[in-house]
């Protein structure tokens, strides 16, 4: 008999049947109880039954045929019922497998849950943005390397870096703090490919770079001492969903560390009024695409609502005085290209607005490079402990 763990359960409130884990029976009898739960769910439901397979890691043909047979038999006898299979691009094989059911029966459809999970995904995953992401990490690391020990970082821990992007942060942590294990997960294949190449070039082989949906991770509960998620809650349209997952994979007594911005507080001198106007507009632009770059000071509320205690919040200002001012100027220039470029155009902004919008970024660059100037980018760092 197969002993691989899996889950089958039904939530009557949401009319949702869940399948998760590894389902590889040698015979249908081994999953008889799960099929019984499925049939009972069908009996209870009117209208639509959702079949949630977002965390289905493996399923062999024996199991698939058994569940498919129940679905097809039901469609022949229940004209009042539809099935919606909810999957994730992370487990792409499930979409292909279950779409076969849709080709046999029109009342079965498949929805890829995370295809549009955060509307601004295409903006922040442009490969041309990679050099700037590296510069941003270099600038913030000067502050974070001092901050992190207060938020649970120490040698020998098991750590997960969720929404790891191009992997720079995980590499710096590995070098500075020597955790025993690092899992670095992201939903961008291009970013992960870059991260793996960079790790190989530095002969680092023990960071586990993993493709995954941060809102539905195929990671077990309660396994990490520290979970980090930097500059990412602010670009998800449901940060509470992401925090729920960070809470789940964190060990009791462990901590979750997040960083986020309040873009309207970016500042510069001289030309402060133009700069202030532009960054207020940046916040409005992101809001249009269901992202919240004002999230930083809200961190305490989000962590509290997610169930964390012993919450720590602090802020720091990245400035043109942190190393080479040209680094700061390069970052601002990249922001201008994306925000006043593709994002503003897609929102439908007028050419006059975009020109004024661009002027504020250029004035920020002027402040960063001026011999007597000052330019700042504020970031909030926060962490919470998962109760024991």
């Amino acid at each position: 008999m197969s002993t691989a763990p899996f889950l089958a359960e039904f939530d009557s409130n949401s009319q949702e049947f869940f399948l998760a884990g590894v389902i590889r029976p040698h015979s249908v009898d081994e999953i008889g109880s799960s099929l019984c739960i499925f049939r009972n769910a069908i009996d209870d439901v009117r209208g639509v039954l959702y079949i949630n397979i977002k965390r289905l890691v493996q399923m062999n043909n024996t199991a698939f045929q058994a569940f498919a047979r129940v679905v097809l038999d039901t469609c022949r006898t229940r004209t009042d019922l539809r099935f919606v299979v909810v999957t994730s691009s992370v487990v792409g094989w499930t979409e292909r497998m279950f779409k076969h059911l849709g080709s046999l029966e029109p009342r079965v459809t498949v929805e890829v849950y995370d295809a549009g999970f955060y509307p601004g995904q295409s903006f922040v995953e442009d490969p041309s943005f990679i050099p700037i992401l590296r510069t941003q990490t270099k600038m913030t690391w000067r502050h974070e390397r001092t901050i992190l020990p207060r938020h649970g970082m120490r040698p020998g821990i098991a750590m997960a870096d969720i929404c790891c992007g191009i992997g720079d942060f995980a590499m710096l942590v590995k070098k500075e703090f020597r955790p025993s294990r690092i899992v670095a997960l992201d939903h961008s294949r291009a970013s992960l490919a870059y991260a793996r190449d960079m790790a190989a070039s530095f002969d680092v082989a023990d960071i586990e770079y993993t493709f995954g949906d941060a809102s539905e991770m195929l990671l077990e509960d309660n396994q990490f001492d520290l979970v980090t998620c930097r500059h990412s809650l602010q670009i998800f349209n449901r940060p509470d969903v992401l925090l729920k997952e960070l809470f789940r994979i964190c060990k009791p007594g462990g901590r979750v560390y997040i960083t986020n911005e309040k873009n309207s507080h970016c500042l510069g001198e001289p030309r402060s009024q133009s700069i202030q106007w532009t960054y207020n507009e940046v916040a409005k632009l992101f809001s249009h695409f269901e992202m919240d770059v004002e999230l930083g000071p809200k961190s305490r509320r989000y962590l509290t609502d997610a169930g964390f205690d012993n919450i720590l919040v602090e802020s720091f200002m990245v400035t043109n005085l942190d190393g080479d001012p040209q680094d700061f100027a390069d970052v601002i220039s990249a922001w201008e290209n994306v925000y006043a470029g593709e994002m503003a155009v897609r929102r439908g902004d007028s050419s006059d607005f975009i020109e004024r919008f661009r002027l504020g970024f250029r004035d920020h660059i002027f402040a960063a490079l001026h011999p007597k100037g000052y330019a700042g980018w504020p970031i909030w760092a926060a962490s919470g402990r998962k109760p024991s």
Side-chain angles (χ1 to χ4, degrees), residues 263-264 266-282 332 353-367:
N263 234 258
S264 65
C266 284
L267 52 86
E269 190 66 48
R271 304 182 181 177
S272 60
Q273 290 185 332
S274 169
I275 295 166
Q276 180 70 68
W277 182 87
T278 282
Y279 285 101
N280 281 330
E281 293 302 321
V282 168
I332 300 166
F353 174 88
I354 290 175
E355 185 54 38
R356 185 181 178 190
F357 198 29
R358 286 187 180 278
L359 180 61
F361 292 112
R362 293 165 185 169
D363 286 340
H364 204 198
I365 291 171
F366 180 84

Side-chain angles (χ1 to χ4, degrees), residues 74-76 78-84 105-109:
T74 301
C75 287
R76 294 188 182 99
R78 289 276 307 276
T79 58
D80 65 309
L81 186 62
R82 292 191 303 112
F83 292 91
V84 176
E105 173 53 60
R107 278 183 287 137
V108 178
T109 57

